[in-house]
Amino acid sequence: MEFLQKQGIRSCKKQSSYKDASGNSFLQILFDKGNYGEFLIFSGLKKLERHHRLLTNVYLRKSDGSTTEIDILMIAETGIYVFESKNYSGWIFGDEKGRNWTHVLENKQKNHFYNPVWQNNGHITALKHATGLGSPELYRSYIVFSERCTLKKVNVNLPNVFVMKRDSLLRNVKLDMMSSPNVFDPEQVDRLYVKLMGFTHADSYTKSAHIENVRSKIS
């Protein structure tokens, strides 16, 4: 981890766009595992050559009045890509049907976390409402785990839903984009970006309420 953090200091200084987009300081990025995982995903996606826009920490209102937070959102000519970052080590078990997935550490300790496929589906549902774009083919759901974990038994067979480790993300997104038709032109990409930018600056009350809502799902 120390090596990664040293490397991260160099990366953060060179690529401050994540810092600007997320509002997190360099220290918050380097010493918070969740923030650091999102930073690595964001930095990888920045390398894509095709026209695209990136947003982080997008808070959207759900139909029940609660909020849902999108870790990283990419708007491209080929669609809207929703990334859920899970910066875990150990073994990961889960499928598309169960409410919770399981995270097993080296000491055999088991922890449960809310099904990230369901979680990202909730994000996409809220996005459809916020954008007014309801066609399911416009959206891609990516669940991205750390390289430090092993996807021991993960079974997901849904269209436009991808579960992978971070070191294969950029390759898979490139392949996905190459095989997908354009659904937006560059001007539409930019307009969507501006529209959704307004959902990235949540107040402290909204953030706290969101955290409590997430905790309630695994209790």
Side-chain angles (χ1 to χ4, degrees):
M1 183 64 184
E2 290 182 3
F3 172 75
L4 288 177
Q5 288 173 342
K6 289 178 182 177
Q7 292 294 99
I9 291 173
R10 300 189 187 98
S11 297
C12 284
K13 289 180 177 178
K14 290 180 180 178
Q15 302 188 48
S16 62
S17 54
Y18 172 76
K19 174 180 174 292
D20 295 336
S22 66
N24 295 321
S25 68
F26 289 137
L27 291 179
Q28 287 174 316
I29 295 170
L30 291 176
F31 295 103
D32 182 290
K33 290 182 179 179
N35 290 339
Y36 189 63
E38 292 176 19
F39 161 72
L40 293 175
I41 293 173
F42 186 97
S43 299
L45 295 173
K46 284 285 291 183
K47 298 175 183 177
L48 292 170
E49 295 179 357
R50 297 181 64 173
H51 183 69
H52 66 290
R53 297 288 190 178
L54 293 169
L55 293 166
T56 68
N57 307 126
V58 181
Y59 286 84
L60 297 173
R61 187 73 60 182
K62 298 198 297 184
S63 59
D64 63 2
S66 64
T67 59
T68 189
E69 180 194 6
I70 300 174
D71 289 339
I72 296 177
L73 179 65
M74 183 175 78
I75 309 164
E77 293 169 288
T78 49
I80 300 173
Y81 296 72
V82 185
F83 300 90
E84 176 63 29
S85 175
K86 299 297 183 187
N87 203 36
Y88 297 146
S89 58
W91 290 357
I92 306 297
F93 299 83
D95 58 41
E96 62 204 46
K97 299 178 181 179
R99 178 182 177 81
N100 292 320
W101 286 21
T102 302
H103 167 217
V104 182
L105 298 172
E106 288 185 4
N107 62 5
K108 307 303 181 184
Q109 177 185 339
K110 292 184 179 181
N111 300 303
H112 299 289
F113 59 100
Y114 185 59
N115 187 330
V117 174
W118 293 13
Q119 189 176 6
N120 236 17
N121 187 57
H123 295 159
I124 291 172
T125 298
L127 265 175
K128 289 177 180 179
H129 178 73
T131 62
L133 301 173
S135 301
E137 64 270 14
L138 296 178
Y139 298 89
R140 299 285 194 279
S141 174
Y142 279 81
I143 316 300
V144 187
F145 286 88
S146 164
E147 299 93 333
R148 296 176 294 111
C149 79
T150 299
L151 301 180
K152 192 67 174 179
K153 189 176 181 182
V154 174
N155 297 311
V156 176
N157 297 291
L158 294 172
N160 295 335
V161 178
F162 310 90
V163 181
M164 66 196 63
K165 293 182 7 180
R166 199 163 49 219
D167 53 2
S168 65
L169 174 63
L170 193 58
R171 180 177 69 255
N172 281 291
V173 171
K174 286 180 178 179
L175 289 172
D176 189 6
M177 294 177 77
M178 287 174 59
S179 62
S180 301
N182 285 357
V183 292
F184 302 123
D185 60 36
E187 291 75 18
Q188 289 173 314
V189 169
D190 293 343
R191 284 199 296 271
L192 274 174
Y193 170 76
V194 171
K195 182 174 185 177
L196 292 172
M197 176 70 78
F199 297 97
T200 61
H201 302 292
D203 57 34
S204 58
Y205 174 81
T206 299
K207 292 179 180 179
S208 297
H210 171 73
I211 291 170
E212 289 303 315
N213 182 52
V214 171
R215 286 174 178 168
S216 70
K217 292 180 178 179
I218 60 175
S219 60

